[in-house]
Amino acid sequence: MRTRLAAILACALTLSLVSAASAQAAAAPPAVALGSVIPAPVEVRAHGSAFRLTARTVIEAPQSARAVADRLAEAVHTATGHRPAIVRHAPAHAPAITLAAGRTAPEGYRLSVSRSGITIRSGGNAGLFNGVQTLRQLLPLRAPFTVAGGEIADQPRFAYRGAFLDLARHFHTPAEVKRYIDEISQFKVNYLHLHLSDDQGWRIQIDSWPRLTSVGGASGTGVDGVGGGFLTKADYRELVRYAAARYVTIVPEIDMPGHVNAAQVAYPELTCDGVAPPPRTDTAVGYSSLCIGQETTYRFVEDVIRELAALTPGPFLHIGGDEAHATSEADYIAFQQRVIPLVAKYGKQAYGWNEITKAPASHTAVAQNWSSSTTNPTLAAAVAAGTKVIMSPANLTYLDMKYDPSTRLGLSWAGYIEVRTAYDWDPGTHVTGVPESAVLGVEAPLWSETLRSIEDIEFMAFPRLAAIAELGWSPSRDWESFRTRLGAYGPRWTARGVGFYPSPQIDWTS
Ligand code: IFG
């Protein structure tokens, strides 16, 4: 009798402990509020019970979304230590994160969270990937891994949300570029523009002109003579693959007709007098020009465009066009009139700095506006003739600008850019005569005259790239909301070892 009584008491005690624990878990408010995502989602409705991610959680996905499911499993493993199994059909009542088809705008998604599971729906894998980036930010940094209940409906305002690395002034290795891709893709940035040639160095293998890299990419090329190196075609293809797996499209840039000293050191026949100029490791600009009236120039340009287009699945091929101060206006226009059509000949969309709008052929091209001015009649006229624009005003988006005079790295010719400066502007209305309908999106260039490592890249890029990413994605901006969400995001960079700039404008969560 006594043992039966003891057994009954033990059972009652266990039940009360279990119910208390589950009550406690249910009652524990989720560590991360549903809306604390960067970029800010379009619509957030918090309600219902949180989902608790455990070792029992599986990922349910169709074969067509397997690549996204792999990214999700990787992210959950990094965040929680559990690597969820990926199944086509989760067993009944198994707690699952489900990736499924749904009707959404391009790159859009719907995320829903309840006690029994999480579902991300989209019309395509890019949208599912974007939903996964949102979910990553809703997972607490430590157990219990509860995700707040409710729904998020989201889609981008602009189709082009770009980051940019200058591999020419200082060569950043494929490993460093991959790390940058890991970080920018978490903010739904979907283009990475690589500046592959300039006065100081040439950074992409071109088979038909091998000295471009054997000379132009040799060690000792680069600012201060320390930024040598180049991407082989295999390196470039691997970066294209790695980026595509994170829904980032690579945009290659060959800067012409200026910024060509490295090419002319390698091939003196690209100068008008056939004499190789001295290699340059300083940071001056505007002193070099291809020889516009010489046919060799256009054979060179076509060979480079042809080989680069064949390496690049993305739609854009950037032909530079900035600071051609050593090219006469007439020669510049003649050059662009011949070169812009060559990009289309090899199946790509011509894309150049906004100076290309001096040439009539630019009505078929995309102009990257880097001017700090909010008025630009030449750009407005080109837009009226069909040119589309990527907004990169130097005084607001150039991540190589110092935060303030005390910043060790970077330049200051376009002004100082603190986080709020990068955030408080509107790409859709920024330039007179350039309506939102002509704006494809935004891009934040990071020039590398003063950068030497991935740590330098991260310090200058974060947190300002997060601000530009929100301007490219979210329907409107709210500085107080952004600065609060950014403050809460800081520990995520710290957890990943990203050495971001702890701006004094932000209350960083410890
Ligand atoms: N302007 C030059 C870049 C670089 C930059 C550094 C453009 C389009 C200044 N051209 O920006 O080559 O030197 O901030």
Side-chain angles (χ1 to χ4, degrees), residues 22-372:
S22 60
Q24 192 273 336
V32 181
L34 197 61
S36 57
V37 177
I38 298 176
V42 173
E43 215 178 305
V44 177
R45 288 190 303 281
H47 64 70
S49 308
F51 174 77
R52 184 162 179 174
L53 198 149
T54 67
R56 294 175 51 239
T57 305
V58 299
I59 293 171
E60 181 182 56
Q63 189 53 30
S64 62
R66 179 61 197 231
V68 181
D70 287 340
R71 295 278 84 73
L72 172 57
E74 246 169 49
V76 170
H77 181 237
T78 305
T80 69
H82 311 310
R83 182 177 287 277
I86 299 171
V87 297
R88 302 283 289 275
H89 303 289
H93 309 303
I97 303 174
T98 301
L99 303 181
R103 284 174 51 77
T104 60
E107 299 186 82
Y109 64 90
R110 284 196 306 283
L111 170 70
S112 62
V113 182
S114 71
R115 179 198 297 276
S116 58
I118 295 176
T119 301
I120 301 175
R121 292 188 182 285
S122 176
N125 283 345
L128 290 176
F129 180 82
N130 288 328
V132 166
Q133 302 320 305
T134 292
L135 178 54
R136 293 178 74 172
Q137 295 187 31
L138 297 175
L139 275 174
L141 284 173
R142 57 194 63 77
F145 298 108
T146 53
V147 177
E151 273 96 29
I152 289 180
D154 205 5
Q155 64 187 68
R157 176 184 178 192
F158 292 110
Y160 187 108
R161 306 172 306 277
F164 166 115
L165 283 178
D166 171 7
L167 303 190
R169 276 47 178 277
H170 187 87
F171 182 65
H172 299 302
T173 64
E176 291 177 316
V177 177
K178 285 181 175 181
R179 171 134 177 169
Y180 198 52
I181 291 167
D182 288 342
E183 291 301 321
I184 64 177
S185 57
Q186 296 190 54
F187 294 111
K188 305 185 177 75
V189 168
N190 63 349
Y191 285 94
L192 176 60
H193 173 173
L194 296 177
H195 187 73
L196 296 169
S197 69
D198 214 298
D199 290 318
Q200 297 85 351
W202 186 284
R203 307 300 184 202
I204 179 66
Q205 176 188 348
I206 299 292
D207 297 331
S208 49
W209 297 73
R211 293 167 54 83
L212 290 172
T213 44
S214 62
V215 174
S219 66
T221 58
V223 170
D224 299 338
V226 296
F230 64 91
L231 297 175
T232 63
K233 288 194 167 183
D235 291 333
Y236 183 84
R237 285 192 190 95
E238 168 56 15
L239 284 179
V240 165
R241 183 203 63 76
Y242 190 88
R246 290 149 185 85
Y247 295 87
V248 175
T249 299
I250 296 292
V251 178
E253 177 191 350
I254 298 297
D255 204 345
M256 303 176 281
H259 288 274
V260 293
N261 194 73
Q264 294 175 318
V265 169
Y267 289 99
E269 60 267 47
L270 292 175
T271 67
C272 286
D273 60 9
V275 176
R280 295 290 290 262
T281 59
D282 60 304
T283 59
V285 297
Y287 53 83
S288 60
S289 173
L290 290 174
C291 188
I292 304 304
Q294 197 167 273
E295 278 313 301
T296 308
T297 297
Y298 300 94
R299 181 167 60 79
F300 163 75
V301 170
E302 180 154 3
D303 286 347
V304 170
I305 290 174
R306 182 185 67 252
E307 289 196 39
L308 205 46
L311 282 173
T312 302
F316 296 108
L317 202 157
H318 199 299
I319 51 172
D322 63 307
E323 298 177 319
H325 305 322
T327 313
S328 73
E329 180 98 348
D331 278 357
Y332 182 87
I333 291 171
F335 177 82
Q336 296 298 355
Q337 291 295 102
R338 283 191 66 172
V339 169
I340 291 173
L342 283 179
V343 180
K345 176 179 176 182
Y346 291 96
K348 298 301 171 189
Q349 166 66 57
Y351 180 10
W353 300 105
N354 59 269
E355 289 95 324
I356 65 168
T357 55
K358 294 176 203 164
S362 65
H363 71 274
T364 63
V366 173
Q368 183 165 9
N369 179 52
W370 65 289
S371 166
S372 295

Side-chain angles (χ1 to χ4, degrees), residues 15 18-19 30 33 84 138 149 161 200 203 258 280 295 312 322 360 373 404 420 449 471 478 494:
L15 277 175
V18 165
S19 60
L138 297 175
R161 306 172 306 277
Q200 297 85 351
R203 307 300 184 202
R280 295 290 290 262
E295 278 313 301
T312 302
D322 63 307
S373 168
D404 65 34
R420 183 162 193 173
E449 282 95 337
L471 294 180
D478 174 338
T494 303

